[in-house]
Amino acid sequence: IYKKENAILPSYEILKKCFANNNDGAGFCYVNENNNIKMEKGFFNFKKFYERLLEVQNNKHLLIHMRISTGGMNDKRNCHPYRINNNLFLAHNGVLPELLSKANLVFSDTYIYSEILKIFKIKISDFKSEYFKYLFEKAIGNNNKLVFFSKQKAIILNEKLGEWKDGVWFSNESFKKQDEYDYYENFTNDLFRKIK
């Protein structure tokens, strides 16, 4: 979940639903009053996560991640976001190429990917180049979404695969009301049955 500057934090109900649907650990990045990026992660209890989020949230932009494990242990190290450097953080939704996702039973694909990215000294300004952004999107594939978070802004790769609502970007539909979510899921399942 990426919240733009001056956007309203998603409601308790939405965040609780997201946490329930993605319950393998949560974390967030924010810009504090001293204009430094702070990261907190390793929340496995929604109440503690939500209370801490309320304490630190402000009118600046914010990155939130709630994990569904696809590889690696369910521990603080494998929770997102990840620090690439002091000025750039990363959160991911999806499963990165098999080379990364099955390389290690301890660390997740995103953990390994973030460690690799540290070598390249990437800056948010690198994404001013549409070619740079395009190459990144091609490298991660059509089913992955990445958010790079800096003090000033965030870059969302494969942004079209998510959904904006009131200045907040959601990487998947787990934030929707259950009946609305069920409707889309049932519609899609029915459609696939008819195609078969």
Side-chain angles (χ1 to χ4, degrees):
I1 300 169
Y2 171 67
K3 180 189 84 69
K4 282 185 174 181
E5 188 173 4
N6 296 318
I8 295 170
L9 186 70
S11 70
Y12 172 89
E13 291 77 17
I14 287 176
L15 290 172
K16 188 170 185 182
K17 181 180 293 300
C18 292
F19 194 95
N21 291 329
N22 304 271
N23 61 1
D24 291 326
F28 48 83
C29 277
Y30 61 98
V31 181
N32 70 6
E33 62 280 351
N34 297 324
N35 206 34
N36 294 315
I37 300 177
K38 295 293 180 183
M39 176 181 70
E40 298 186 29
K41 64 182 189 173
F43 294 93
F44 294 90
N45 174 284
F46 177 74
K47 185 177 182 216
K48 289 179 181 175
F49 163 79
Y50 186 69
E51 286 174 353
R52 184 61 186 143
L53 188 58
L54 288 182
E55 287 174 3
V56 302
Q57 68 102 18
N58 52 38
N59 65 346
K60 297 181 181 179
H61 72 155
L62 172 73
L63 177 62
I64 301 170
H65 189 277
M66 297 167 204
R67 180 175 183 242
I68 289 182
S69 173
T70 55
M73 297 175 67
N74 289 345
D75 61 8
K76 182 177 179 178
R77 289 176 303 186
N78 285 311
C79 289
H80 306 217
Y82 292 96
R83 175 181 280 117
I84 305 303
N85 58 54
N86 287 337
N87 299 307
L88 193 64
F89 292 74
L90 149 73
H92 166 241
N93 180 316
V95 180
L96 290 162
E98 189 173 335
L99 175 67
L100 296 176
S101 61
K102 295 194 177 166
N104 192 312
L105 296 176
V106 175
F107 299 113
S108 72
D109 54 332
T110 311
Y111 179 96
I112 295 166
Y113 188 70
S114 69
E115 290 297 308
I116 293 167
L117 288 181
K118 288 177 182 179
I119 298 166
F120 295 99
K121 308 211 183 313
I122 298 166
K123 302 178 295 299
I124 201 77
S125 59
D126 294 335
F127 290 98
K128 286 180 183 174
S129 165
E130 285 299 314
Y131 297 111
F132 188 83
K133 188 175 177 183
Y134 172 81
L135 289 173
F136 249 98
E137 287 181 335
K138 285 296 177 193
I140 65 172
N142 294 331
N143 297 317
N144 287 286
K145 292 145 275 188
L146 284 177
V147 179
F148 286 98
F149 184 88
S150 74
K151 288 180 189 178
Q152 302 82 16
K153 64 180 186 175
I155 299 295
I156 303 172
L157 301 185
N158 288 329
E159 181 179 341
K160 63 189 177 297
L161 299 177
E163 185 173 333
W164 283 98
K165 185 175 174 74
D166 302 323
V168 178
W169 182 80
F170 296 88
S171 67
N172 62 41
E173 295 182 338
S174 65
F175 73 96
K176 292 186 175 180
K177 293 178 188 170
Q178 195 60 42
D179 54 350
E180 184 182 354
Y181 187 69
D182 289 343
Y183 170 79
Y184 289 116
E185 190 173 5
N186 291 337
F187 176 80
T188 306
N189 290 338
D190 289 345
L191 187 62
F192 282 125
R193 276 196 288 275
K194 287 176 185 173
I195 292 171
K196 289 180 181 178

